[in-house]
Structures are given as C-alpha cells and as structure tokens.
Amino acid sequence: MNYRHGFHAGNFADVFKHAILARILVYLTRKDAPLRYIDTHAGAGRYDLTSEAAKRSPEWRDGVGRIVKARPPAEVAALLRPYLDAIGPCDDDGRPDSYPGSPALAQTLLRPQDRLALSEAHPEERAALIAALGRDRRLSIVATDGYVALNAYVPPKERRGLVLIDPPFEEPDESARVEAALAAALAKWPRGTYALWRPIKAPIEDARFLNAIAALGAPNILRLELDVGVVAPGAHSPNPLRAAGLLIVNPPFELIAEARVLMPWLAQALKRAAGGGFVRQWLTPPA
Ligand SMILES: C[S@@+](CC[C@H](N)C(=O)[O-])C[C@H]1O[C@@H](n2cnc3c(N)ncnc32)[C@H](O)[C@@H]1O
C-alpha cells in the first residue's frame, strides 16, 4: 500500500468526485429519515495543501485552486455551494486552509441523525483520519479492508444512504475487486445509492470494466466522466491522470439534470489542453 492521497488531494479528479458527492448528499438529506454514509477507502480525511506531499505534487492548483477562483454562472454556483462551503476560506492562490476529503465533506453535510462508516487500511492515513474528524458520535472508523467492511455494513439499518467506493487502483486486480464487491452489495441492498470512482487510463481496459458493471444486471447506473486533456508530466507524476469516471448506481433523480449543468462547466473550468471533454449518459437505464 504505497498510495498516499495527499499527493493528489484537491486535483481535478477530486473536485469532480467531491462536487458530485456533495450533490448526492444534499439530496439524500432532504428527507428527515436518517441515512448511512459508507466510505470503503476513506483516506486521511483532510489534506494540508502546504504539506511536503502537496508541494512536491501541487495538483490542487489545476483543481480546487481553479474552482475557488472561477466565476461560474449563478446556476452552477448554486450547485457548487455546499462543496465550496465545506472547503471554507482560501488564500489569494486559491489554496484552502485544508482540503476536505470525502469523509470530511460527508461529516459537514450530514445531520445529527445520520451515521458515517469509514474504512481506511493504512495505519498512518487512518490515524490522520481519526485526528481530522475529531470526536463525533456519528462516526465509526475501522481498519478493516474496505470491501470486507462493505459486505458487513449493507444493508444499513437505516435502509437509506450512500456508499462511496474509491480505491487507489494500485493493484492489478482492483477493478475485479470493485466488480465483485458491488455485485455482492447490490445482491444485499439493491436500492442503495453507490458511487464508484475510477481513473481512466486505458480505453480498452476501461470499456471492459464498464461492460462488467453493466453485466451485473442492475438498472439505473449513471455514467459521468471528466477528461481534462493532455497533462504534462510532473516531478511526482510521470504519467499524470487526465480522465476519471464516476458510476452512480441509483442516483438521486435530481442529479441527472444537475449533471447536465455541472459537467460541461467542470470540463471547461478544469481543462488543461485540447482533447478533453465529459461523458454524461446511462450505463444502464432506469428500470
Ligand atoms: C483514493 S484514496 C481515498 C480518498 C478519499 N475517498 C477521498 O475522496 O478523500 C484511497 C485510500 O484507500 C486506502 N486503502 C487502500 N487499500 C485499502 C483497503 N483494502 N481497504 C481500505 N482502505 C484501503 C489507501 O490507504 C488510501 O488512503
């Protein structure tokens, strides 16, 4: 386990993932009924963008750094507001005091009646996560493998909620593990909302992954992808990522229309070079 999210915190892929995550949580929290947020690969919770990792790999500058300085149209600004509020104040460079990872974002957006179940296998990242989120009776943070924990947590007793599956994709069998974990979770909790993040590196391999997820037979899977175009190699990123995707199983109805507004704006705001763009379509249509 070499992956450290601190090298990538606040980059374009984080902005895309976290802005959509915030929209899903905004909708799920509109009903009073409690919900469960399950984060299978939680990371360190919050990231100091003045840290050595962020200095060696300042990916945030072309991610959150651009977004907080942008002047989006009112419709986009309203959709980004919960995400930007969770980020909080930024300096003149567009650097936040700290960048909230998925657990901190969820902690901010969830209510007293909700619960967060977070898995983080790396001891140092888990210690940072515990410190970052502080004392909060809604939280459960475990060292258990995220896929094993997912199987134990679903269906949650609330019968409502969101699962984020956001592994590092360092191991060659990671996609196969995601497929198997989603299949098992859907068999136990078909009505849950699931967000699967993935880097898009090789089109053929990515098409194989999409086919495998579609073949699970679950309806109602929204496919969102963001490609920022060619990214020049950096000192810490010899093969920098240029595209990432989210598959959202059972998305809140409103997200479908919101993605029509957000995706083109994010693609424009985060673009690095020609050749980028976005995808917004059904992987499998609603039943
Ligand atoms: C991409 S990062 C998570 C980022 C986080 N979800 C966010 O959006 O802020 C992936 C994390 O998964 C952790 N990890 C790796 N293998 C794991 C496993 N089998 N179970 C749980 N966590 C794991 C890594 O240590 C790393 O912190």
Side-chain angles (χ1 to χ4, degrees), residues 9-38:
N11 71 1
F12 82 89
D14 257 10
V15 170
F16 163 49
K17 169 179 60 183
H18 295 147
I20 298 292
L21 181 66
R23 294 313 310 162
I24 297 173
L25 291 174
V26 163
Y27 278 103
L28 290 179
T29 51
R30 283 205 171 159
K31 279 193 191 148
D32 278 347
L35 66 85
R36 183 81 56 111
Y37 170 73
I38 299 167

mmCIF file of all heavy atoms in Angstrom, residues 9-38:
data_model
loop_
_atom_site.group_PDB
_atom_site.id
_atom_site.type_symbol
_atom_site.label_atom_id
_atom_site.label_comp_id
_atom_site.label_asym_id
_atom_site.label_seq_id
_atom_site.Cartn_x
_atom_site.Cartn_y
_atom_site.Cartn_z
ATOM 1 N N ALA A 9 -4.564 15.353 -3.525
ATOM 2 C CA ALA A 9 -5.723 15.993 -2.892
ATOM 3 C C ALA A 9 -6.073 17.313 -3.574
ATOM 4 O O ALA A 9 -5.204 18.145 -3.819
ATOM 5 C CB ALA A 9 -5.431 16.231 -1.413
ATOM 6 N N GLY A 10 -7.344 17.469 -3.881
ATOM 7 C CA GLY A 10 -7.821 18.719 -4.483
ATOM 8 C C GLY A 10 -7.546 18.818 -5.972
ATOM 9 O O GLY A 10 -7.773 19.877 -6.565
ATOM 10 N N ASN A 11 -7.085 17.731 -6.609
ATOM 11 C CA ASN A 11 -6.837 17.807 -8.058
ATOM 12 C C ASN A 11 -8.170 17.745 -8.819
ATOM 13 O O ASN A 11 -9.242 17.680 -8.219
ATOM 14 C CB ASN A 11 -5.845 16.725 -8.509
ATOM 15 C CG ASN A 11 -6.428 15.318 -8.466
ATOM 16 O OD1 ASN A 11 -7.590 15.126 -8.114
ATOM 17 N ND2 ASN A 11 -5.621 14.338 -8.815
ATOM 18 N N PHE A 12 -8.098 17.758 -10.149
ATOM 19 C CA PHE A 12 -9.338 17.830 -10.928
ATOM 20 C C PHE A 12 -10.261 16.646 -10.626
ATOM 21 O O PHE A 12 -11.489 16.788 -10.578
ATOM 22 C CB PHE A 12 -9.025 17.895 -12.441
ATOM 23 C CG PHE A 12 -8.751 16.549 -13.066
ATOM 24 C CD1 PHE A 12 -9.784 15.791 -13.594
ATOM 25 C CD2 PHE A 12 -7.465 16.013 -13.089
ATOM 26 C CE1 PHE A 12 -9.539 14.539 -14.151
ATOM 27 C CE2 PHE A 12 -7.209 14.779 -13.639
ATOM 28 C CZ PHE A 12 -8.255 14.028 -14.177
ATOM 29 N N ALA A 13 -9.642 15.476 -10.403
ATOM 30 C CA ALA A 13 -10.454 14.281 -10.166
ATOM 31 C C ALA A 13 -11.141 14.363 -8.806
ATOM 32 O O ALA A 13 -12.286 13.898 -8.647
ATOM 33 C CB ALA A 13 -9.571 13.036 -10.262
ATOM 34 N N ASP A 14 -10.475 14.954 -7.818
ATOM 35 C CA ASP A 14 -11.106 15.164 -6.507
ATOM 36 C C ASP A 14 -12.249 16.168 -6.616
ATOM 37 O O ASP A 14 -13.314 15.979 -6.017
ATOM 38 C CB ASP A 14 -10.070 15.698 -5.500
ATOM 39 C CG ASP A 14 -9.582 14.625 -4.532
ATOM 40 O OD1 ASP A 14 -9.893 13.439 -4.746
ATOM 41 O OD2 ASP A 14 -8.887 14.986 -3.554
ATOM 42 N N VAL A 15 -12.024 17.237 -7.350
ATOM 43 C CA VAL A 15 -13.081 18.258 -7.499
ATOM 44 C C VAL A 15 -14.337 17.606 -8.095
ATOM 45 O O VAL A 15 -15.452 17.770 -7.579
ATOM 46 C CB VAL A 15 -12.605 19.412 -8.407
ATOM 47 C CG1 VAL A 15 -13.767 20.334 -8.770
ATOM 48 C CG2 VAL A 15 -11.492 20.209 -7.719
ATOM 49 N N PHE A 16 -14.139 16.875 -9.153
ATOM 50 C CA PHE A 16 -15.256 16.195 -9.835
ATOM 51 C C PHE A 16 -15.960 15.235 -8.867
ATOM 52 O O PHE A 16 -17.177 15.294 -8.670
ATOM 53 C CB PHE A 16 -14.653 15.492 -11.065
ATOM 54 C CG PHE A 16 -15.476 14.426 -11.701
ATOM 55 C CD1 PHE A 16 -16.813 14.637 -12.007
ATOM 56 C CD2 PHE A 16 -14.898 13.206 -12.052
ATOM 57 C CE1 PHE A 16 -17.567 13.642 -12.627
ATOM 58 C CE2 PHE A 16 -15.637 12.219 -12.672
ATOM 59 C CZ PHE A 16 -16.980 12.429 -12.949
ATOM 60 N N LYS A 17 -15.171 14.374 -8.229
ATOM 61 C CA LYS A 17 -15.750 13.380 -7.301
ATOM 62 C C LYS A 17 -16.477 14.060 -6.148
ATOM 63 O O LYS A 17 -17.617 13.707 -5.815
ATOM 64 C CB LYS A 17 -14.609 12.497 -6.775
ATOM 65 C CG LYS A 17 -14.943 11.595 -5.615
ATOM 66 C CD LYS A 17 -13.725 10.745 -5.194
ATOM 67 C CE LYS A 17 -12.532 11.550 -4.766
ATOM 68 N NZ LYS A 17 -11.349 10.734 -4.424
ATOM 69 N N HIS A 18 -15.839 15.062 -5.542
ATOM 70 C CA HIS A 18 -16.400 15.656 -4.328
ATOM 71 C C HIS A 18 -17.569 16.587 -4.628
ATOM 72 O O HIS A 18 -18.495 16.695 -3.823
ATOM 73 C CB HIS A 18 -15.297 16.376 -3.545
ATOM 74 C CG HIS A 18 -14.251 15.436 -3.022
ATOM 75 N ND1 HIS A 18 -12.927 15.768 -2.897
ATOM 76 C CD2 HIS A 18 -14.342 14.131 -2.607
ATOM 77 C CE1 HIS A 18 -12.241 14.732 -2.414
ATOM 78 N NE2 HIS A 18 -13.081 13.726 -2.238
ATOM 79 N N ALA A 19 -17.525 17.266 -5.775
ATOM 80 C CA ALA A 19 -18.671 18.131 -6.120
ATOM 81 C C ALA A 19 -19.918 17.267 -6.355
ATOM 82 O O ALA A 19 -21.021 17.620 -5.917
ATOM 83 C CB ALA A 19 -18.347 18.972 -7.357
ATOM 84 N N ILE A 20 -19.746 16.119 -7.005
ATOM 85 C CA ILE A 20 -20.897 15.223 -7.249
ATOM 86 C C ILE A 20 -21.334 14.560 -5.937
ATOM 87 O O ILE A 20 -22.535 14.462 -5.641
ATOM 88 C CB ILE A 20 -20.540 14.159 -8.318
ATOM 89 C CG1 ILE A 20 -20.217 14.832 -9.666
ATOM 90 C CG2 ILE A 20 -21.659 13.128 -8.459
ATOM 91 C CD1 ILE A 20 -21.369 15.509 -10.369
ATOM 92 N N LEU A 21 -20.358 14.153 -5.136
ATOM 93 C CA LEU A 21 -20.679 13.556 -3.833
ATOM 94 C C LEU A 21 -21.523 14.524 -2.997
ATOM 95 O O LEU A 21 -22.521 14.140 -2.381
ATOM 96 C CB LEU A 21 -19.363 13.239 -3.115
ATOM 97 C CG LEU A 21 -19.417 12.596 -1.744
ATOM 98 C CD1 LEU A 21 -20.005 11.203 -1.840
ATOM 99 C CD2 LEU A 21 -18.005 12.506 -1.143
ATOM 100 N N ALA A 22 -21.133 15.787 -2.999
ATOM 101 C CA ALA A 22 -21.883 16.789 -2.231
ATOM 102 C C ALA A 22 -23.319 16.897 -2.744
ATOM 103 O O ALA A 22 -24.260 16.975 -1.953
ATOM 104 C CB ALA A 22 -21.182 18.148 -2.316
ATOM 105 N N ARG A 23 -23.497 16.869 -4.051
ATOM 106 C CA ARG A 23 -24.872 16.967 -4.596
ATOM 107 C C ARG A 23 -25.713 15.768 -4.141
ATOM 108 O O ARG A 23 -26.880 15.899 -3.805
ATOM 109 C CB ARG A 23 -24.872 17.025 -6.134
ATOM 110 C CG ARG A 23 -24.263 18.243 -6.784
ATOM 111 C CD ARG A 23 -24.691 19.558 -6.204
ATOM 112 N NE ARG A 23 -26.129 19.711 -6.073
ATOM 113 C CZ ARG A 23 -26.722 20.615 -5.298
ATOM 114 N NH1 ARG A 23 -25.999 21.447 -4.571
ATOM 115 N NH2 ARG A 23 -28.033 20.701 -5.232
ATOM 116 N N ILE A 24 -25.105 14.581 -4.173
ATOM 117 C CA ILE A 24 -25.871 13.387 -3.771
ATOM 118 C C ILE A 24 -26.277 13.526 -2.296
ATOM 119 O O ILE A 24 -27.432 13.278 -1.931
ATOM 120 C CB ILE A 24 -25.034 12.102 -3.994
ATOM 121 C CG1 ILE A 24 -24.728 11.914 -5.481
ATOM 122 C CG2 ILE A 24 -25.771 10.881 -3.437
ATOM 123 C CD1 ILE A 24 -23.760 10.763 -5.786
ATOM 124 N N LEU A 25 -25.341 13.977 -1.465
ATOM 125 C CA LEU A 25 -25.652 14.090 -0.029
ATOM 126 C C LEU A 25 -26.694 15.176 0.226
ATOM 127 O O LEU A 25 -27.555 15.031 1.091
ATOM 128 C CB LEU A 25 -24.367 14.336 0.772
ATOM 129 C CG LEU A 25 -23.414 13.133 0.805
ATOM 130 C CD1 LEU A 25 -22.096 13.498 1.482
ATOM 131 C CD2 LEU A 25 -24.051 11.933 1.520
ATOM 132 N N VAL A 26 -26.619 16.257 -0.532
ATOM 133 C CA VAL A 26 -27.634 17.319 -0.381
ATOM 134 C C VAL A 26 -29.027 16.726 -0.610
ATOM 135 O O VAL A 26 -29.961 16.972 0.168
ATOM 136 C CB VAL A 26 -27.364 18.472 -1.370
ATOM 137 C CG1 VAL A 26 -28.592 19.371 -1.529
ATOM 138 C CG2 VAL A 26 -26.166 19.297 -0.909
ATOM 139 N N TYR A 27 -29.160 15.902 -1.633
ATOM 140 C CA TYR A 27 -30.490 15.351 -1.911
ATOM 141 C C TYR A 27 -30.897 14.301 -0.902
ATOM 142 O O TYR A 27 -32.052 14.271 -0.461
ATOM 143 C CB TYR A 27 -30.579 14.846 -3.353
ATOM 144 C CG TYR A 27 -30.863 16.035 -4.212
ATOM 145 C CD1 TYR A 27 -29.875 16.616 -4.970
ATOM 146 C CD2 TYR A 27 -32.109 16.660 -4.141
ATOM 147 C CE1 TYR A 27 -30.111 17.774 -5.672
ATOM 148 C CE2 TYR A 27 -32.346 17.815 -4.839
ATOM 149 C CZ TYR A 27 -31.352 18.366 -5.604
ATOM 150 O OH TYR A 27 -31.595 19.514 -6.282
ATOM 151 N N LEU A 28 -29.948 13.442 -0.521
ATOM 152 C CA LEU A 28 -30.317 12.385 0.429
ATOM 153 C C LEU A 28 -30.713 12.971 1.786
ATOM 154 O O LEU A 28 -31.474 12.350 2.532
ATOM 155 C CB LEU A 28 -29.170 11.391 0.605
ATOM 156 C CG LEU A 28 -28.884 10.488 -0.603
ATOM 157 C CD1 LEU A 28 -27.710 9.562 -0.304
ATOM 158 C CD2 LEU A 28 -30.103 9.667 -0.995
ATOM 159 N N THR A 29 -30.208 14.162 2.116
ATOM 160 C CA THR A 29 -30.520 14.752 3.423
ATOM 161 C C THR A 29 -31.768 15.642 3.369
ATOM 162 O O THR A 29 -32.092 16.301 4.353
ATOM 163 C CB THR A 29 -29.322 15.562 3.976
ATOM 164 O OG1 THR A 29 -28.883 16.474 2.976
ATOM 165 C CG2 THR A 29 -28.179 14.672 4.372
ATOM 166 N N ARG A 30 -32.442 15.671 2.260
ATOM 167 C CA ARG A 30 -33.673 16.483 2.213
ATOM 168 C C ARG A 30 -34.837 15.817 2.952
ATOM 169 O O ARG A 30 -35.722 16.492 3.439
ATOM 170 C CB ARG A 30 -34.062 16.760 0.767
ATOM 171 C CG ARG A 30 -33.165 17.840 0.220
ATOM 172 C CD ARG A 30 -33.779 18.587 -0.901
ATOM 173 N NE ARG A 30 -32.926 19.728 -1.203
ATOM 174 C CZ ARG A 30 -32.917 20.368 -2.343
ATOM 175 N NH1 ARG A 30 -33.733 20.003 -3.305
ATOM 176 N NH2 ARG A 30 -32.108 21.393 -2.528
ATOM 177 N N LYS A 31 -34.818 14.483 2.995
ATOM 178 C CA LYS A 31 -35.829 13.781 3.796
ATOM 179 C C LYS A 31 -35.304 13.660 5.217
ATOM 180 O O LYS A 31 -34.104 13.418 5.400
ATOM 181 C CB LYS A 31 -36.040 12.358 3.252
ATOM 182 C CG LYS A 31 -36.940 12.277 2.057
ATOM 183 C CD LYS A 31 -37.317 10.825 1.809
ATOM 184 C CE LYS A 31 -38.004 10.703 0.463
ATOM 185 N NZ LYS A 31 -37.740 9.436 -0.192
ATOM 186 N N ASP A 32 -36.200 13.783 6.208
ATOM 187 C CA ASP A 32 -35.767 13.736 7.609
ATOM 188 C C ASP A 32 -35.166 12.397 8.010
ATOM 189 O O ASP A 32 -34.330 12.330 8.905
ATOM 190 C CB ASP A 32 -36.958 14.014 8.536
ATOM 191 C CG ASP A 32 -37.199 15.511 8.654
ATOM 192 O OD1 ASP A 32 -36.304 16.271 8.231
ATOM 193 O OD2 ASP A 32 -38.273 15.899 9.149
ATOM 194 N N ALA A 33 -35.609 11.328 7.365
ATOM 195 C CA ALA A 33 -35.194 9.984 7.787
ATOM 196 C C ALA A 33 -33.663 9.876 7.792
ATOM 197 O O ALA A 33 -32.996 10.387 6.895
ATOM 198 C CB ALA A 33 -35.788 8.951 6.839
ATOM 199 N N PRO A 34 -33.099 9.202 8.817
ATOM 200 C CA PRO A 34 -31.641 9.075 8.902
ATOM 201 C C PRO A 34 -31.060 8.264 7.757
ATOM 202 O O PRO A 34 -31.753 7.455 7.138
ATOM 203 C CB PRO A 34 -31.405 8.348 10.233
ATOM 204 C CG PRO A 34 -32.702 7.834 10.669
ATOM 205 C CD PRO A 34 -33.787 8.540 9.929
ATOM 206 N N LEU A 35 -29.791 8.472 7.505
ATOM 207 C CA LEU A 35 -29.119 7.708 6.461
ATOM 208 C C LEU A 35 -27.736 7.291 6.931
ATOM 209 O O LEU A 35 -27.208 7.810 7.915
ATOM 210 C CB LEU A 35 -29.046 8.517 5.163
ATOM 211 C CG LEU A 35 -28.183 9.774 5.154
ATOM 212 C CD1 LEU A 35 -26.722 9.481 4.856
ATOM 213 C CD2 LEU A 35 -28.708 10.729 4.083
ATOM 214 N N ARG A 36 -27.154 6.365 6.192
ATOM 215 C CA ARG A 36 -25.793 5.890 6.468
ATOM 216 C C ARG A 36 -24.894 6.224 5.276
ATOM 217 O O ARG A 36 -25.280 5.991 4.125
ATOM 218 C CB ARG A 36 -25.834 4.365 6.655
ATOM 219 C CG ARG A 36 -24.510 3.720 7.029
ATOM 220 C CD ARG A 36 -24.216 3.861 8.498
ATOM 221 N NE ARG A 36 -25.278 3.321 9.322
ATOM 222 C CZ ARG A 36 -25.175 2.235 10.073
ATOM 223 N NH1 ARG A 36 -24.033 1.572 10.112
ATOM 224 N NH2 ARG A 36 -26.193 1.824 10.812
ATOM 225 N N TYR A 37 -23.748 6.812 5.587
ATOM 226 C CA TYR A 37 -22.726 7.061 4.567
ATOM 227 C C TYR A 37 -21.601 6.059 4.801
ATOM 228 O O TYR A 37 -21.036 5.998 5.896
ATOM 229 C CB TYR A 37 -22.209 8.496 4.694
ATOM 230 C CG TYR A 37 -20.999 8.769 3.840
ATOM 231 C CD1 TYR A 37 -21.107 8.889 2.458
ATOM 232 C CD2 TYR A 37 -19.731 8.880 4.410
ATOM 233 C CE1 TYR A 37 -19.985 9.118 1.669
ATOM 234 C CE2 TYR A 37 -18.607 9.114 3.632
ATOM 235 C CZ TYR A 37 -18.745 9.229 2.264
ATOM 236 O OH TYR A 37 -17.642 9.446 1.485
ATOM 237 N N ILE A 38 -21.295 5.276 3.792
ATOM 238 C CA ILE A 38 -20.252 4.241 3.897
ATOM 239 C C ILE A 38 -19.143 4.593 2.918
ATOM 240 O O ILE A 38 -19.400 4.756 1.718
ATOM 241 C CB ILE A 38 -20.851 2.846 3.572
ATOM 242 C CG1 ILE A 38 -21.964 2.498 4.568
ATOM 243 C CG2 ILE A 38 -19.747 1.781 3.568
ATOM 244 C CD1 ILE A 38 -22.822 1.296 4.168
#
